[in-house]
Amino acid sequence: MKRIKYKKVRKVQPNYFEYTGIHKTDPVEMQLFVYDDAGYEEYKKISLQKVKKEIEDELQIQDVKWFNVHGLHDVELIKQVGEMLSIEPFIISDVLNINRRSKMEELDNVLFFSIKSILPDDDYDMVSVEQISFLLKDNLLVSFQEKKSDFFTHIRERIKTHSGIVRKKKNDYLLYLLLEAVMENFYITIEFFEDQIEDLMLEAKSSDNPEVLVRIERNREHLNFLKRSILPLRDALFNLKSEHDEEDYDGIEKANYSFFARLHQKALEILEQIEYDMNTLDSASSFYFSSQSHRMNEIMKILTVVSVIFMPLTFVVGVYGMNFKYMPELELSYGYYTIIVIMFFIALGMVYYFKKKKWF
């Protein structure tokens, strides 16, 4: 698990290979799918030598190959993968350095995608963040995951059961499916936070607990992190669309660019929803402060009314508390009761006047 704020890390040089993540306990596992419209083969816990043999097999040169790597902490193994595929060293460095922002790069015959997968954790202060990288080259798609997860289980099932058109398409369509699966996690995360935001709106209207404001700011941090994560992906998908318009890149079939255009549209929808939720939090925060201000004004109004009522009564008491020898009222038999009655009617009259003016 990773805090929602980026931590300050030591700078990593472009060609310096070091895994900067936290998932370093589980063993690295590799999986290979080889498929076409006629059938598929799945290899679990495959060795790198076997992967190389399958990739270079001339009998299945036209087959789509999906090579998935779970775990990045075995740096030497990841370097060997890069050397086997003749990938530029700085790309492998970007795969290992999970503190880089999401990006897309097109180099000769290689398309590189790096994206953050974000899911909520049970702890409100935490989210689960994982960097997933993709390499598209010829008929091969390589995916690098920090740890074993079930993001792509449904895609594997579609390949096995020949569901949909995945086995009729090339690896660019598979890349689209994988990116879409990762982007679905953003929707899940946003929905999770929206449930909290809805509760916060209700609490902001009824509670004066300062913890409400703390939770509002915490959720605003969550949404800001989501926004920082999806913005680079939106830009990358837009750049991919631009390359299609310029017809300079042929790694993706023209018929499949529409799928990536859908992903770009999804990124825009996610950003719009994040902006809406952030505005909702701003409204909740404003409502909370307005409610507290109104509550304080009500208290001050009541105290002011009480003070004003007692001002003339205090004046009367002050007058008759003066130590003059000759004060006619002091000699009256019912002087005390008379003054009490007068004070009572003064207070009653002021209350009636304030009520008539609707001051309270």
Side-chain angles (χ1 to χ4, degrees), residues 19 23 30 43 77 113 142 203 212 229 258 276 301 327-328 334 339:
Y19 173 57
H23 304 288
M30 296 181 292
Y43 303 92
L77 177 62
F113 254 104
V142 186
E203 289 187 46
V212 173
S229 299
S258 59
Y276 174 80
K301 182 170 66 175
M327 295 184 70
Y334 298 100
I339 293 301

Side-chain angles (χ1 to χ4, degrees), residues 60-199:
Q60 50 191 20
I61 196 68
Q62 296 299 323
D63 294 349
V64 176
K65 303 167 189 69
W66 174 21
F67 177 36
N68 189 45
V69 180
H70 289 121
L72 302 178
H73 56 276
D74 190 342
V75 176
E76 193 60 36
L77 177 62
I78 303 302
K79 285 173 60 179
Q80 292 175 15
V81 171
E83 292 169 358
M84 179 186 72
L85 301 175
S86 300
I87 303 300
E88 292 288 344
F90 76 90
I91 294 293
I92 299 301
S93 177
D94 285 345
V95 170
L96 293 170
N97 186 2
I98 61 100
N99 296 296
R100 298 278 175 87
R101 73 199 299 261
S102 300
K103 63 186 294 188
M104 183 207 77
E105 287 200 38
E106 186 265 309
L107 300 167
D108 296 329
N109 61 339
V110 176
L111 181 66
F112 173 68
F113 254 104
S114 175
I115 183 175
K116 304 291 184 185
S117 174
I118 301 174
L119 282 171
D121 189 32
D122 294 334
D123 190 335
Y124 290 156
D125 287 331
M126 305 285 285
V127 290
S128 175
V129 182
E130 179 185 353
Q131 177 168 290
I132 302 178
S133 302
F134 302 102
L135 286 169
L136 189 70
K137 181 179 181 181
D138 300 326
N139 283 331
L140 174 67
L141 175 63
V142 186
S143 55
F144 297 92
Q145 297 179 247
E146 289 190 70
K147 58 185 178 67
K148 201 165 186 177
S149 55
D150 57 356
F151 301 155
F152 308 138
T153 301
H154 65 289
I155 299 175
R156 295 187 182 97
E157 289 301 317
R158 288 176 65 176
I159 294 174
K160 294 176 183 179
T161 60
H162 206 333
S163 177
I165 61 174
V166 60
R167 290 209 344 222
K168 298 178 181 179
K169 293 283 189 178
K170 295 297 183 181
N171 57 346
D172 53 351
Y173 181 76
L174 178 60
L175 174 62
Y176 155 72
L177 291 178
L178 299 180
L179 289 173
E180 182 184 44
V182 176
M183 290 183 69
E184 285 298 322
N185 293 340
F186 281 90
Y187 286 104
I188 295 172
T189 306
I190 290 174
E191 184 178 358
F192 175 81
F193 289 132
E194 282 181 343
D195 291 338
Q196 296 187 45
I197 292 170
E198 185 177 346
D199 294 338

Side-chain angles (χ1 to χ4, degrees), residues 121-349:
D121 189 32
D122 294 334
D123 190 335
Y124 290 156
D125 287 331
M126 305 285 285
V127 290
S128 175
V129 182
E130 179 185 353
Q131 177 168 290
I132 302 178
S133 302
F134 302 102
L135 286 169
L136 189 70
K137 181 179 181 181
D138 300 326
N139 283 331
L140 174 67
L141 175 63
V142 186
S143 55
F144 297 92
Q145 297 179 247
E146 289 190 70
K147 58 185 178 67
K148 201 165 186 177
S149 55
D150 57 356
F151 301 155
F152 308 138
T153 301
H154 65 289
I155 299 175
R156 295 187 182 97
E157 289 301 317
R158 288 176 65 176
I159 294 174
K160 294 176 183 179
T161 60
H162 206 333
S163 177
I165 61 174
V166 60
R167 290 209 344 222
K168 298 178 181 179
K169 293 283 189 178
K170 295 297 183 181
N171 57 346
D172 53 351
Y173 181 76
L174 178 60
L175 174 62
Y176 155 72
L177 291 178
L178 299 180
L179 289 173
E180 182 184 44
V182 176
M183 290 183 69
E184 285 298 322
N185 293 340
F186 281 90
Y187 286 104
I188 295 172
T189 306
I190 290 174
E191 184 178 358
F192 175 81
F193 289 132
E194 282 181 343
D195 291 338
Q196 296 187 45
I197 292 170
E198 185 177 346
D199 294 338
L200 282 172
M201 280 295 294
L202 296 176
E203 289 187 46
K205 296 177 181 179
S206 59
S207 175
D208 59 351
N209 189 347
E211 179 63 23
V212 173
L213 195 60
V214 174
R215 288 170 56 198
I216 288 174
E217 293 304 314
R218 186 185 301 149
N219 278 273
R220 185 178 282 113
E221 290 180 1
H222 292 329
L223 293 177
N224 271 322
F225 181 78
L226 288 174
K227 184 176 180 180
R228 294 199 306 269
S229 299
I230 197 65
L231 274 172
L233 180 60
R234 180 205 62 180
D235 296 340
L237 291 168
F238 178 79
N239 290 338
L240 190 62
K241 175 181 177 298
S242 299
E243 288 181 348
H244 166 242
D245 294 340
E246 296 171 1
E247 298 183 352
D248 288 339
Y249 180 66
D250 58 358
I252 296 177
E253 295 181 358
K254 292 183 179 180
N256 292 336
Y257 271 100
S258 59
F259 296 114
F260 291 91
R262 292 181 194 174
L263 293 182
H264 181 253
Q265 186 62 35
K266 279 191 174 185
L268 295 177
E269 290 175 0
I270 291 172
L271 283 171
E272 288 176 0
Q273 192 60 41
I274 291 174
E275 290 292 342
Y276 174 80
D277 291 336
M278 291 183 71
N279 289 335
T280 303
L281 282 177
D282 290 338
S283 298
S285 180
S286 299
F287 196 95
Y288 177 84
F289 284 117
S290 298
S291 177
Q292 296 307 303
S293 178
H294 178 72
R295 179 182 173 85
M296 183 60 66
N297 289 339
E298 288 295 317
I299 294 173
M300 294 303 298
K301 182 170 66 175
I302 292 173
L303 293 177
T304 302
V305 168
V306 172
S307 300
V308 171
I309 289 174
F310 275 89
M311 283 176 62
L313 307 184
T314 304
F315 173 76
V316 173
V317 171
V319 169
Y320 285 97
M322 293 186 295
N323 295 320
F324 287 108
K325 183 176 180 180
Y326 299 104
M327 295 184 70
E329 292 82 357
L330 296 178
E331 303 296 329
L332 297 176
S333 301
Y334 298 100
Y336 169 76
Y337 301 104
T338 302
I339 293 301
I340 291 295
V341 170
I342 291 173
M343 292 171 64
F344 173 77
F345 279 105
I346 289 174
L348 192 64

